[in-house]
Amino acid sequence: MLKYIIRRIILAIPVLLGVSVISFFVMQLAPGDFLDTYRINPNISREKIQELETLYGLDKDPVTQYFLWLGNVLKGNWGYSFVYKIDVWQVMLRRLEATLLLGVTTFIFTWGIGIPLGITAALHQYKFTDQTLSTIGLIGISIPNFFFALLWLMFAANTGIFPIGGMLSREFANMPWYAQIGDFFWHVAGPVITLGTASLAGTMRIMRGQMLDEMNQDYAEFARAKGMPSDVVIYKHTLRNAINPVITSLGFSLSAILGGALITEYVFSWPGLGTLMRDAIFQQDIYLVMANLLLQGILLIIGNLLADIMLAASDPRVRLRMSA
Amino acid sequence: MKKLLVLLVVLSSTLALFAQAAYNPEWLIADVEGGQRGGTLYLGTTAGPKTLNTYWAQETSSSVIINQGDVSLLSSDFYGQPTQPGLAKEWGVEATEDGGTLYWFVMREGVRWSDGHPLTVEDVIFTWEKIIVPDLTADGNDVYMDAEDNLPELTVEGNKIMFKYPTRFRFGFETVGGFAIMPKHVLEDKVTDAETFQSTWTVEQVDQLVVAGPFKVTEYTEGVRVVLERNPYYFEKSKDGVQLPYLDKIVFEIVSDSNVERLRFEAGEIDMMGVQAKDFPSLRAQADQKGWNVIIGPATAGSNFVAFNFNTADPVKREWFRNDNFRKAIAYAFDKQTIIDTLYNGLGEPTYGPRTSSSAFYNPEIETLGYRYSLVTAQRLLREAGFTWNDKGQLVDWYGNVVEFELNTNGENVMRNEISIILVDALGKLGIKVNYRPVQFNALVQRMYSENWDAIIIGLVGGDDPGWGTNVWLLDGGLHFWNWSPEVMDWVDPDEYWVHPAEKRIDEIMRIQRSILDQDELQKLWDEWQMLVAENQILVYTISQNYLNMHKNTLHLYPVEKYGTINPYGYSYSPGLWKIEYAWKE
């Protein structure tokens, strides 16, 4: 198992290198650079812009820039943000917390509700419960996030039940810890429901389909015929088999947590990485964009690895393959 | 125990009172009275600051916040002119016998930084000698130079600071009177080079900020809010003796979307908002019921214009764009009033030249030039220039080429986008096919620097004084983008290079204006400049929206009561924030 993990990590290195090369040169293909806003400022002379190009290393050709960057990354220096004039990690750390809080809460929401609902739907196939759940799920999946978020905010503004965007109340710093937690959930409800409804239906449908497939398999029938209680057949045997594809999709969820919520973050004024990256791309703050893309690559790899390990825990056949 | 506590409270409050009483600088007495101290002002902003270092801030999201803490020798009046006292209590300018110009300022005594440290002549010298002269700033120090690229020589006599230029130079009050003074005792070891200085006072270093202006950033939660608190040592008082600013705090709530800002304003969470014309009627309808003051200010300063590339790659198009009648016809075909009425609910004004009516330097004479919407005039002008129409109704030039060109703007700018679409439609009526291609901002800038564009809609910002636009208007200026000089861009063929006679005269005006100290003489030049641009439509100006502001009527903004409007220039980014130290809340 350990050998397997080490092998996977070594294999990840060329993948990450590939990601960095492609993203760096795609960034270079985009017209202009960070200094474009300086260029149309009537108060800045051409000489000063050339001076700044040298200061930021933008006067070198892209290949040199890439290798300089790569060399620095290997030394642990990921470069600094042109806009913020601080280390890219510091910039990202300022946003990471908000993104993770939103991502993890959404993840718990979708999976924590989607899986049980999927099972329930499967157990009541074609009955009223199943059809109601499917309908609700379809509604959730078909309303665009942007629209849903705006509707939510209108609702919040008119009723005052929920805050109009944002992440922290004004009084947050003076609240006792339990009120702070409450404040967080009060604010996160809108974005989580917006993001959650979109993926909830998906998780639910997969779970339902898988459960139905497994429940109709010969082994399930055999177990029931043998006189095994229905609950044991469902929760001990079919569920364990049915959940495998859902676990596999977890690998992607981890990296999606970092990048998948741009529009929702924007509408809810949620101070996450999504909006930061949008601005960074527009401002051509290359090292910040690079760091974010690499971070996403790393998380995708870790996510897949975790998914595989979890899969091994749930499925003995996978375990056997890994140790081989 | 209880007694001890009481004693402690009494002791500490007397100490605090004593500390306040001990601060008695040569106060600047503001022209306000009757305001109440205290309260928090809640504002919305669409982005947080990127840096807190005023010399490296390039985005309004940063400068609008940092400027609340900046202080310089002079401050700006209602028109943005440096005529008001700041750290200097007396000032003046003298033309010296050797042909030079001497600007002098007498500094207020007893002023302190927000940390209680005395603010003295030393800090002014420090900022000048260690930051501006060695050019550790993003903007560079060109603006401080006279026509011969000299920086002034700084000398000090006690409390009198003197900047002497070897030539006649008229910008001294704006430049040497207007730079933000930085605290020597805090930044002394940060001014070694540009790289170190730009990494000073980043958003990570909020706690290190020391300011002399009315408000200091004390807290920044990334992407959530910025909190500014009053500087207890600010040196300004109201006429009835209240130390300013009136407000205790300003909180900028960061809302990324302007729709959300509006919702929050309607819900009463934000006290003041700049309003877009399209939202104006629906917000105004609620104003009485919600208790809002509605202000329709003068036209905004920055106006969008259409620039035609006199050096575009295609020689045929070049000839059209260089033709006066062609550009004038476009100005006539462009129905400015209809755009204002339909898109801006009537809240704007047509612009014909490079300054709007709210400018201190505006020349109203350009309105008499008669550039009102008229397709007939446009057609007549085109015919006079030798253009004809073919049987399909297309405009054809003197060689038989069908007139068609590409128009770019940065599509994310809603106003420019709308103007472009209407322009395409209007020119269609003249038989001109315009291919509108909105591009991303960076792509637009890259195009401006190349020969690969035909027409662009853009707006440039800068100070109200036209002298600040020399980089744009000088023939060899770094931003004379519609007609790059071969000296600036090597791709311009010197044999093909052509200069409009009006541009030549503008170039002259821009060169001589720097050394003219007489205001009337100067205004004559600016009048001429505006007429030259407008008469020849070197750039085809479009429209300018009015400043629109709504705020709770419990909030009192100084200029509103004084002038019945909000100053557009004193704070070009966010008009309601001009002299925010005078604002108070009931």
Side-chain angles (χ1 to χ4, degrees):
Chain A
M1 188 73 179
L2 188 70
K3 241 164 86 187
Y4 172 80
I5 295 174
I6 292 169
R7 201 171 70 221
R8 284 281 296 264
I9 291 172
I10 292 171
L11 278 175
I13 293 170
V15 174
L16 287 177
L17 268 179
V19 169
S20 75
V21 171
I22 292 170
S23 18
F24 195 89
F25 289 97
V26 167
M27 286 288 295
Q28 296 291 341
L29 282 181
D33 60 38
F34 164 67
L35 292 173
D36 285 341
T37 37
Y38 292 60
R39 286 196 178 93
I40 66 153
N41 180 341
N43 290 337
I44 303 183
S45 69
R46 290 173 56 76
E47 293 75 37
K48 184 68 198 180
I49 285 171
Q50 278 153 11
E51 216 174 279
L52 291 170
E53 278 173 355
T54 322
L55 178 67
Y56 293 126
L58 295 170
D59 51 346
K60 301 189 183 68
D61 70 291
V63 181
T64 321
Q65 278 189 49
Y66 175 76
F67 281 105
L68 278 175
W69 173 81
L70 188 66
N72 284 331
V73 168
L74 292 178
K75 279 184 255 161
N77 168 14
W78 288 60
Y80 90 131
S81 157
F82 294 151
V83 175
Y84 288 86
K85 331 274 183 211
I86 49 179
D87 187 81
V88 283
W89 280 106
Q90 273 175 305
V91 181
M92 293 202 331
L93 278 177
R94 295 174 69 87
R95 297 280 185 142
L96 200 58
E97 187 194 37
T99 287
L100 285 180
L101 280 174
L102 176 60
V104 171
T105 325
T106 311
F107 179 75
I108 293 170
F109 176 81
T110 19
W111 285 47
I113 297 180
I115 292 176
L117 284 187
I119 298 170
T120 318
L123 294 180
H124 300 89
Q125 195 189 5
Y126 303 140
K127 292 207 188 101
F128 178 71
T129 327
D130 180 25
Q131 267 150 8
T132 319
L133 286 176
S134 300
T135 315
I136 294 173
L138 281 175
I139 293 174
I141 216 167
S142 39
I143 300 181
N145 277 358
F146 181 72
F147 186 58
F148 192 99
L150 275 182
L151 278 181
W152 179 279
L153 285 179
M154 293 284 285
F155 166 74
N158 289 326
T159 61
I161 301 175
F162 287 102
I164 312 169
M167 188 173 91
L168 302 174
S169 288
R170 283 168 188 164
E171 307 78 28
F172 188 83
N174 305 323
M175 288 178 179
W177 63 271
Y178 52 86
Q180 287 188 336
I181 294 175
D183 189 62
F184 166 71
F185 280 108
W186 187 50
H187 280 87
V188 87
V192 159
I193 292 172
T194 308
L195 288 171
T197 46
S199 47
L200 185 69
T203 316
M204 203 169 87
R205 302 289 302 172
I206 295 173
M207 196 63 221
R208 176 180 176 276
Q210 286 295 322
M211 270 306 273
L212 286 175
D213 272 359
E214 292 296 328
M215 272 158 54
N216 293 331
Q217 295 276 328
D218 291 344
Y219 75 88
E221 213 130 309
F222 176 69
R224 266 196 293 267
K226 222 170 57 174
M228 194 182 271
S230 175
D231 278 1
V232 179
V233 178
I234 290 167
Y235 294 111
K236 197 158 177 222
H237 296 281
T238 52
L239 179 62
R240 280 189 70 165
N241 286 328
I243 209 155
N244 286 352
V246 184
I247 292 179
T248 313
S249 71
L250 170 115
F252 302 104
S253 307
L254 194 59
S255 93
I257 280 177
L258 282 194
L262 171 62
I263 290 169
T264 312
E265 278 186 7
Y266 174 72
V267 179
F268 280 102
S269 310
W270 190 265
L273 277 173
T275 40
L276 178 75
M277 278 313 126
R278 183 195 65 143
D279 294 344
I281 289 169
F282 282 144
Q283 290 161 331
Q284 307 242 351
D285 199 350
I286 32 178
Y287 300 126
L288 188 55
V289 177
M290 289 298 293
N292 183 61
L293 287 173
L294 269 193
L295 183 68
Q296 291 217 25
I298 292 171
L299 282 176
L300 191 66
I301 288 165
I302 295 176
N304 276 329
L305 186 60
L306 280 181
D308 285 347
I309 292 169
M310 277 167 72
L311 214 53
S314 105
D315 190 340
R317 287 169 301 180
V318 178
R319 198 152 55 222
L320 214 65
R321 225 173 38 231
M322 278 188 184
S323 48
Chain B
M1 186 68 199
K2 220 175 178 179
K3 268 183 193 165
L4 193 73
L5 208 72
V6 170
L7 192 75
L8 218 71
V9 168
V10 170
L11 201 72
S12 57
S13 45
T14 22
L15 264 177
L17 269 174
F18 183 72
Q20 278 300 341
Y23 179 56
N24 200 9
E26 294 183 74
W27 294 101
L28 168 59
I29 306 298
D31 186 19
V32 284
E33 59 189 331
Q36 287 166 19
R37 268 286 306 278
T40 305
L41 175 67
Y42 292 98
L43 299 170
T45 175
T46 47
K50 309 293 184 280
T51 171
L52 301 172
N53 184 332
T54 192
Y55 283 105
W56 282 89
Q58 285 291 315
E59 314 77 10
T60 54
S61 58
S62 305
S63 46
V64 75
I65 286 163
I66 308 168
N67 288 0
Q68 309 304 329
D70 283 344
V71 67
S72 38
L73 291 167
L74 297 180
S75 67
S76 306
D77 63 12
F78 189 67
Y79 286 102
Q81 298 308 303
T83 58
Q84 303 296 308
L87 269 179
K89 55 182 177 183
E90 288 166 50
W91 63 96
V93 58
E94 285 157 25
T96 58
E97 280 167 14
D98 58 356
T101 328
L102 178 83
Y103 287 92
W104 58 268
F105 305 88
V106 180
M107 247 181 79
R108 245 164 251 288
E109 276 182 83
V111 177
R112 293 191 198 169
W113 291 100
S114 57
D115 62 353
H117 199 276
L119 194 171
T120 64
V121 177
E122 286 298 306
D123 294 298
V124 183
I125 302 173
F126 166 77
T127 311
W128 180 256
E129 287 182 348
K130 301 288 180 195
I131 296 171
I132 292 170
V133 173
D135 191 7
L136 302 187
T137 66
D139 281 2
N141 56 16
D142 292 10
V143 294
Y144 303 95
M145 291 176 182
D146 65 7
E148 291 168 11
D149 289 352
N150 296 303
L151 283 172
E153 196 188 319
L154 169 66
T155 47
V156 174
E157 269 172 33
N159 239 14
K160 192 175 177 188
I161 302 161
M162 287 162 289
F163 292 91
K164 187 174 181 294
Y165 283 93
T167 61
R168 292 274 185 264
F169 180 70
R170 71 173 181 92
F171 286 116
F173 292 135
E174 277 104 326
T175 55
V176 291
F179 65 82
I181 291 157
M182 303 295 261
K184 183 183 178 185
H185 67 287
V186 179
L187 298 177
E188 213 161 6
D189 54 345
K190 307 284 189 193
V191 290
T192 46
D193 55 281
E195 209 168 346
T196 315
F197 185 57
Q198 68 161 343
S199 320
T200 302
W201 288 2
T202 63
V203 288
E204 289 277 281
Q205 300 167 9
V206 177
D207 51 334
Q208 292 169 27
L209 237 57
V210 171
V211 304
F215 291 98
K216 180 179 103 120
V217 181
T218 51
E219 195 187 314
Y220 175 36
T221 317
E222 174 80 22
V224 179
R225 67 178 58 93
V226 190
V227 180
L228 287 83
E229 280 175 41
R230 72 193 307 269
N231 167 11
Y233 292 102
Y234 186 54
F235 57 89
E236 199 168 354
K237 264 187 180 174
S238 68
K239 278 200 284 192
D240 48 2
V242 182
Q243 189 193 359
L244 300 176
Y246 286 121
L247 295 163
D248 282 338
K249 272 187 188 181
I250 303 177
V251 176
F252 285 89
E253 300 276 356
I254 299 167
V255 282
S256 25
D257 189 57
S258 59
N259 293 313
V260 179
E261 185 180 0
R262 184 187 156 161
L263 283 175
R264 294 189 67 162
F265 176 69
E266 287 181 79
E269 292 179 19
I270 290 175
D271 295 328
M272 174 166 81
M273 189 175 75
V275 181
Q276 289 169 297
K278 70 177 168 58
D279 293 333
F280 189 78
S282 61
L283 280 168
R284 176 172 228 174
Q286 306 175 49
D288 286 340
Q289 185 206 343
K290 295 260 177 91
W292 296 334
N293 273 348
V294 177
I295 289 172
I296 301 176
T300 47
S303 121
N304 294 303
F305 55 82
V306 191
F308 290 98
N309 188 356
F310 292 178
N311 290 313
T312 190
D314 183 347
V316 176
K317 288 179 182 167
R318 228 179 280 160
E319 226 172 301
W320 307 335
F321 298 157
R322 289 173 180 183
N323 186 297
D324 282 356
N325 278 11
F326 180 82
R327 293 190 311 276
K328 283 185 199 170
I330 285 176
Y332 276 111
F334 190 39
D335 190 354
K336 295 168 184 165
Q337 198 55 49
T338 304
I339 300 181
I340 294 166
D341 291 343
T342 53
L343 290 177
Y344 295 98
N345 293 309
L347 299 161
E349 61 175 40
T351 53
Y352 303 102
R355 280 292 171 273
T356 56
S357 64
S358 53
S359 164
F361 302 94
Y362 182 62
N363 178 8
E365 213 189 317
I366 57 167
E367 290 167 32
T368 62
L369 288 172
Y371 283 103
R372 308 289 182 276
Y373 175 63
S374 166
L375 278 182
V376 179
T377 317
Q379 281 160 341
R380 182 175 52 83
L381 284 167
L382 289 172
R383 214 171 285 127
E384 277 172 18
F387 288 94
T388 48
W389 284 267
N390 65 14
D391 44 10
K392 280 186 228 148
Q394 293 166 311
L395 187 71
V396 181
D397 74 359
W398 37 88
Y399 304 117
N401 299 304
V402 174
V403 177
E404 178 179 350
F405 61 86
E406 190 176 304
L407 172 71
N408 301 119
T409 191
N410 52 327
E412 65 270 15
N413 185 314
V414 180
M415 187 161 177
R416 287 178 200 159
N417 199 24
E418 285 166 351
I419 294 174
S420 302
I421 291 166
I422 288 182
L423 184 65
V424 171
D425 183 57
L427 296 189
K429 289 181 195 151
L430 283 183
I432 300 174
K433 189 170 179 221
V434 183
N435 302 306
Y436 172 48
R437 296 217 172 82
V439 292
Q440 201 251 324
F441 174 76
N442 297 80
L444 187 73
V445 177
Q446 291 306 308
R447 269 171 198 242
M448 283 167 68
Y449 274 72
S450 76
E451 57 183 332
N452 301 317
W453 60 279
D454 297 335
I456 276 177
I457 294 190
I458 200 166
L460 298 172
V461 286
D464 187 29
D465 190 318
W468 293 117
T470 47
N471 220 1
V472 180
W473 291 102
L474 286 178
L475 287 175
D476 60 353
L479 210 46
H480 195 76
F481 66 95
W482 63 91
N483 195 10
W484 290 113
S485 144
E487 292 161 36
V488 180
M489 290 291 168
D490 47 19
W491 51 260
V492 178
D493 183 352
D495 301 329
E496 290 288 323
Y497 181 56
W498 167 86
V499 176
H500 194 287
E503 282 196 283
K504 266 190 204 138
R505 175 62 186 151
I506 291 170
D507 183 80
E508 251 170 57
I509 293 176
M510 288 295 163
R511 281 179 208 281
I512 52 178
Q513 52 90 13
R514 283 182 159 243
S515 48
I516 292 173
L517 301 178
D518 181 70
Q519 283 305 313
D520 294 335
E521 203 182 326
L522 194 64
Q523 185 59 40
K524 273 196 200 111
L525 287 178
W526 294 145
D527 287 348
E528 189 189 348
W529 163 68
Q530 290 174 66
M531 285 301 272
L532 283 169
V533 177
E535 231 170 327
N536 300 289
Q537 293 289 310
I538 302 288
L539 301 174
V540 180
Y541 282 86
T542 60
I543 50 169
S544 168
Q545 194 202 295
N546 289 97
Y547 270 119
L548 302 172
N549 179 294
M550 289 196 192
H551 58 267
K552 289 186 187 166
N553 54 19
T554 49
L555 174 69
H556 298 264
L557 298 170
Y558 160 75
V560 180
E561 278 130 40
K562 191 92 182 166
Y563 300 95
T565 182
I566 282 193
N567 164 271
Y569 283 100
Y571 222 103
S572 55
Y573 309 124
S574 187
L577 285 175
W578 182 65
K579 296 281 185 201
I580 201 68
E581 64 270 32
Y582 301 166
W584 59 278
K585 253 177 132 175
E586 278 172 32

